[in-house]
């Protein structure tokens, strides 16, 4: 038997740069309430959302991803040639194959980086960060670009009361690279396929297309709300524990922006101290699924709520059901 050389990588990995793309079209609650027999007040009270962004036809998944990625590369001071792997987390790239990661890698000018998409819904970005960290530490890549991007407006039924006011569009990206110190804690992740029907495509593509429609998302809001508010707090605390960080040592909490009430419930259940800054990007961005955590962190940095070197907790959860949480050092 030949003696293979074992792969070996960097001692640690960390986030080196962060980027975001917010679509240009602002959609206030007033624009959507008639179609779902709702009101601005109901939407604000139940979800904390006042407006969201829906992409224009020109703001494609590719366009938004490349813009966010260029931002992240510039922020990291890393050239596209240094990227060995591009991971795109999305559920709203509407072509089955090829993965959109390959054309994004090409447009950015990487040297034929490995490129693939992952489908883990709203938890996709945190899955990507975990994989990037392991790829770097395992020696499979030097620098990895992780993008979370969605155009959920394409697959949201504007007349569906349970989803029309929640889902939105945008892109966020991070560059992950080698580090002397730990910058990404152990991931706590998992799935619960028994409850796959709680958030799902309403029907398969052929059935929807036969009716001249897109295969829209459907969600049982109440059980999702309860699951996210209670079960995910335990996952967050486990991620802190595994990273050796206490709630008192935490600077920022950046949960998936699903619903403002879930954000508040998680912070309460985890007994986060007053000093922990909490991401609240959902108020004017809606739920952008895989894009929500990098978008929320980008805003916190821009507005001075998070700074480079801070310790932040990510918790993401969504269709599948899927979830992932990790502690990171803010780039
Ligand atoms: N506008 C106005 N009224 C609405 C409505 C809407 N869009 N949707 C439902 N209602 C009404 C219902 O008819 C019901 O009325 P009733 O009490 O007279 O029967 C009432 O509001 C409560 O409905 P319910 O479905 O129990 O609402 P809720 O409090 O669970 O809030 C969500 C709905 C969607 C805001 C909430 O369940 C939620 O946020 N879930 C999680 C969503 C989420 O995070 N998804 C992403 C996970 S990645």
């Amino acid at each position: 038997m030949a003696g293979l050389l074992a792969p070996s990588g960097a001692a640690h990995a960390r986030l080196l740069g962060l980027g975001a793309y917010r679509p240009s079209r602002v959609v206030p609650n007033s624009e959507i309430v008639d179609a779902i027999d709702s009101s601005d007040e109901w939407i604000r009270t139940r979800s904390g959302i006042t407006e969201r962004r829906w992409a224009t036809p020109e703001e494609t998944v590719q366009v938004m991803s490349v813009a966010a990625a260029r931002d992240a590369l510039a922020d990291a001071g890393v050239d596209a040639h240094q990227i060995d792997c591009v991971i795109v987390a999305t559920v709203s790239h509407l072509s089955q194959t090829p993965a959109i990661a390959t054309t994004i890698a090409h447009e950015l000018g990487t040297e034929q980086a490995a490129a693939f998409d992952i489908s883990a819904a709203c938890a996709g970005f945190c899955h990507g960060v975990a994989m990037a960290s392991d790829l770097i530490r395992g020696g499979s890549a030097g620098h990895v670009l992780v993008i979370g991007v969605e155009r959920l407006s394409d697959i949201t039924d504007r007349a569906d009361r349970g989803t029309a006011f929640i889902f939105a569009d945008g892109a966020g990206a991070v560059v992950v690279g080698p580090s002397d110190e730990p910058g990404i804690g152990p991931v706590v992740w998992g799935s619960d396929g028994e409850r796959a029907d709680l958030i799902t495509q309403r029907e398969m593509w052929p059935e929807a297309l036969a009716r001249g429609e897109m295969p829209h998302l459907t969600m049982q809001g109440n059980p999702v709300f309860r699951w996210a508010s209670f079960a995910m707090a335990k996952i967050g605390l486990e991620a802190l524990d595994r990273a050796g960080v206490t709630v008192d040592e935490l600077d920022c909490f950046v949960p998936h922006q699903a619903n403002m009430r879930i954000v508040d419930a998680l912070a309460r259940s985890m007994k986060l101290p007053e000093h922990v800054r909490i991401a609240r990007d959902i108020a004017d961005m809606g739920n952008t699924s895989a894009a929500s955590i990098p978008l929320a962190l980008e805003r916190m940095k821009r507005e001075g709520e998070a700074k480079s070197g801070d310790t932040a907790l990510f918790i993401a959860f969504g269709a599948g059901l899927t979830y992932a949480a990790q502690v990171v050092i803010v780039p």
Side-chain angles (χ1 to χ4, degrees):
M1 201 167 71
L4 296 185
L5 295 177
S8 72
H12 305 289
R14 67 183 176 101
L15 307 183
L16 298 175
L18 173 67
Y21 183 85
R22 297 173 194 267
S24 53
R25 186 165 166 245
V26 176
V27 181
N29 289 341
S30 58
E31 196 177 318
I32 59 171
V33 289
D34 288 350
I36 55 172
D37 185 21
S38 189
S39 67
D40 176 48
E41 207 234 324
W42 191 93
I43 296 172
R44 283 174 194 256
T45 316
R46 298 293 175 124
S47 70
I49 300 171
T50 59
E51 60 189 34
R52 74 283 295 138
R53 303 283 180 109
W54 284 350
T56 62
E58 295 73 33
E59 292 170 318
T60 60
V61 170
Q62 174 91 13
V63 163
M64 294 194 290
S65 298
V66 168
R70 287 200 170 123
D71 240 27
L73 287 165
D75 190 43
V78 167
D79 191 86
H81 292 254
Q82 294 171 259
I83 298 293
D84 301 310
C85 179
V86 176
I87 301 175
V88 178
T90 186
V91 294
S92 48
H93 169 48
L94 297 180
S95 176
Q96 201 84 41
T97 195
I100 194 147
T102 65
T103 52
I104 291 169
H106 175 69
E107 190 175 338
L108 289 171
T110 69
E111 300 277 2
Q112 304 200 338
F116 54 92
D117 299 352
I118 53 175
S119 176
C122 306
F125 176 77
C126 290
H127 279 62
V129 168
M131 290 164 72
S133 173
D134 288 356
L135 289 171
I136 291 162
R137 294 182 313 116
S140 302
H143 292 84
V144 181
L145 180 64
V146 181
I147 300 171
V149 58
E150 302 291 1
R151 264 180 69 107
L152 295 175
S153 59
D154 286 339
I155 50 172
T156 300
D157 179 350
R158 310 277 163 102
D160 179 36
R161 291 183 106 199
T163 55
F165 63 97
I166 292 180
F167 293 127
D169 306 337
V174 288
V175 175
V176 186
S179 170
D180 295 334
E181 302 288 329
I184 300 173
V187 68
V188 177
W189 59 355
S191 68
D192 179 1
E194 198 180 343
R195 293 193 277 178
D197 61 338
L198 292 188
I199 314 170
T200 182
Q201 217 175 274
R202 199 157 55 196
E203 64 267 291
M204 302 289 269
W205 278 90
E207 297 154 47
L209 293 180
R211 285 208 316 279
E213 285 180 6
M214 298 293 278
H216 292 132
L217 294 169
T218 179
M219 177 173 70
Q220 296 176 41
N222 228 287
V224 172
F225 188 91
R226 278 183 273 120
W227 170 73
S229 300
F230 300 107
M232 290 303 102
K234 288 197 194 84
I235 300 302
L237 290 173
E238 200 181 325
L240 284 170
D241 193 46
R242 291 201 59 203
V245 172
T246 66
V247 285
D248 293 320
E249 291 166 327
L250 199 60
D251 299 303
C252 309
F253 178 43
V254 194
H256 167 48
Q257 303 289 291
N259 180 316
M260 196 70 89
R261 288 161 59 216
I262 296 176
V263 172
D264 290 333
L266 285 172
R268 265 197 313 274
S269 305
M270 294 174 61
K271 298 191 170 49
L272 295 185
E274 285 273 300
H275 75 265
V276 177
R277 275 97 61 194
I278 300 176
R280 298 186 182 284
D281 199 44
I282 188 168
D284 60 11
M285 283 300 290
N287 176 340
T288 56
S289 189
S292 90
I293 286 182
L295 279 169
L297 184 59
E298 183 271 342
R299 164 177 262 152
M300 289 182 89
K301 272 202 81 182
R302 187 162 34 83
E303 295 185 347
E305 293 234 295
K307 58 182 191 318
S308 192
D310 276 356
T311 302
L313 172 65
F314 293 165
I315 307 181
F317 45 85
L321 299 171
T322 55
Y323 58 87
Q326 66 248 117
V327 177
V328 302
I329 302 300
V330 174

PDB file of all heavy atoms in Angstrom, residues 28 40-41 60 86 100 148 170 247 285:
ATOM      1  N   PRO A  28     -42.263  49.149   1.029  1.00  0.00           N
ATOM      2  CA  PRO A  28     -42.864  49.343   2.357  1.00  0.00           C
ATOM      3  C   PRO A  28     -44.064  48.419   2.557  1.00  0.00           C
ATOM      4  O   PRO A  28     -44.635  47.907   1.584  1.00  0.00           O
ATOM      5  CB  PRO A  28     -43.317  50.810   2.327  1.00  0.00           C
ATOM      6  CG  PRO A  28     -43.497  51.131   0.881  1.00  0.00           C
ATOM      7  CD  PRO A  28     -42.576  50.242   0.097  1.00  0.00           C
ATOM      8  N   ASP A  40     -50.196  47.559   7.989  1.00  0.00           N
ATOM      9  CA  ASP A  40     -48.841  47.922   8.390  1.00  0.00           C
ATOM     10  C   ASP A  40     -48.652  47.601   9.874  1.00  0.00           C
ATOM     11  O   ASP A  40     -47.634  47.037  10.280  1.00  0.00           O
ATOM     12  CB  ASP A  40     -48.653  49.425   8.117  1.00  0.00           C
ATOM     13  CG  ASP A  40     -47.311  49.931   8.582  1.00  0.00           C
ATOM     14  OD1 ASP A  40     -46.297  49.287   8.268  1.00  0.00           O
ATOM     15  OD2 ASP A  40     -47.267  50.965   9.274  1.00  0.00           O
ATOM     16  N   GLU A  41     -49.667  47.921  10.657  1.00  0.00           N
ATOM     17  CA  GLU A  41     -49.562  47.709  12.105  1.00  0.00           C
ATOM     18  C   GLU A  41     -49.423  46.225  12.455  1.00  0.00           C
ATOM     19  O   GLU A  41     -48.600  45.840  13.282  1.00  0.00           O
ATOM     20  CB  GLU A  41     -50.796  48.312  12.786  1.00  0.00           C
ATOM     21  CG  GLU A  41     -50.515  48.724  14.216  1.00  0.00           C
ATOM     22  CD  GLU A  41     -51.480  48.104  15.193  1.00  0.00           C
ATOM     23  OE1 GLU A  41     -52.658  47.965  14.819  1.00  0.00           O
ATOM     24  OE2 GLU A  41     -51.048  47.733  16.298  1.00  0.00           O
ATOM     25  N   THR A  60     -29.791  40.468 -10.419  1.00  0.00           N
ATOM     26  CA  THR A  60     -29.888  39.010 -10.421  1.00  0.00           C
ATOM     27  C   THR A  60     -29.086  38.427  -9.250  1.00  0.00           C
ATOM     28  O   THR A  60     -28.326  39.140  -8.586  1.00  0.00           O
ATOM     29  CB  THR A  60     -29.310  38.456 -11.733  1.00  0.00           C
ATOM     30  OG1 THR A  60     -27.932  38.877 -11.791  1.00  0.00           O
ATOM     31  CG2 THR A  60     -30.057  38.984 -12.952  1.00  0.00           C
ATOM     32  N   VAL A  86     -15.111  28.850  -3.814  1.00  0.00           N
ATOM     33  CA  VAL A  86     -16.267  29.742  -3.669  1.00  0.00           C
ATOM     34  C   VAL A  86     -17.476  28.886  -3.293  1.00  0.00           C
ATOM     35  O   VAL A  86     -17.826  27.945  -4.005  1.00  0.00           O
ATOM     36  CB  VAL A  86     -16.551  30.516  -4.979  1.00  0.00           C
ATOM     37  CG1 VAL A  86     -17.809  31.372  -4.840  1.00  0.00           C
ATOM     38  CG2 VAL A  86     -15.355  31.377  -5.373  1.00  0.00           C
ATOM     39  N   ILE A 100     -24.370  28.248  -9.388  1.00  0.00           N
ATOM     40  CA  ILE A 100     -24.051  29.644  -9.737  1.00  0.00           C
ATOM     41  C   ILE A 100     -22.674  30.035  -9.214  1.00  0.00           C
ATOM     42  O   ILE A 100     -22.063  30.987  -9.697  1.00  0.00           O
ATOM     43  CB  ILE A 100     -25.147  30.618  -9.244  1.00  0.00           C
ATOM     44  CG1 ILE A 100     -24.945  31.980  -9.928  1.00  0.00           C
ATOM     45  CG2 ILE A 100     -25.148  30.765  -7.724  1.00  0.00           C
ATOM     46  CD1 ILE A 100     -26.174  32.732 -10.205  1.00  0.00           C
ATOM     47  N   GLY A 148     -23.856  34.367   0.860  1.00  0.00           N
ATOM     48  CA  GLY A 148     -25.263  34.033   1.113  1.00  0.00           C
ATOM     49  C   GLY A 148     -26.088  34.965   0.256  1.00  0.00           C
ATOM     50  O   GLY A 148     -25.922  36.197   0.358  1.00  0.00           O
ATOM     51  N   GLY A 170     -31.359  39.963  -1.213  1.00  0.00           N
ATOM     52  CA  GLY A 170     -30.087  40.610  -0.878  1.00  0.00           C
ATOM     53  C   GLY A 170     -28.944  39.609  -0.928  1.00  0.00           C
ATOM     54  O   GLY A 170     -29.156  38.413  -1.195  1.00  0.00           O
ATOM     55  N   VAL A 247     -21.540  34.140  27.964  1.00  0.00           N
ATOM     56  CA  VAL A 247     -22.388  35.234  27.476  1.00  0.00           C
ATOM     57  C   VAL A 247     -21.815  36.588  27.889  1.00  0.00           C
ATOM     58  O   VAL A 247     -21.974  37.573  27.172  1.00  0.00           O
ATOM     59  CB  VAL A 247     -23.862  35.117  27.944  1.00  0.00           C
ATOM     60  CG1 VAL A 247     -24.614  34.043  27.191  1.00  0.00           C
ATOM     61  CG2 VAL A 247     -23.968  34.931  29.429  1.00  0.00           C
ATOM     62  N   MET A 285     -35.110  45.213   6.163  1.00  0.00           N
ATOM     63  CA  MET A 285     -34.608  44.309   5.111  1.00  0.00           C
ATOM     64  C   MET A 285     -35.456  43.054   4.950  1.00  0.00           C
ATOM     65  O   MET A 285     -35.261  42.292   4.000  1.00  0.00           O
ATOM     66  CB  MET A 285     -33.159  43.882   5.426  1.00  0.00           C
ATOM     67  CG  MET A 285     -32.114  44.928   5.127  1.00  0.00           C
ATOM     68  SD  MET A 285     -32.059  45.425   3.385  1.00  0.00           S
ATOM     69  CE  MET A 285     -31.376  43.951   2.617  1.00  0.00           C
TER      70      MET A 285
END
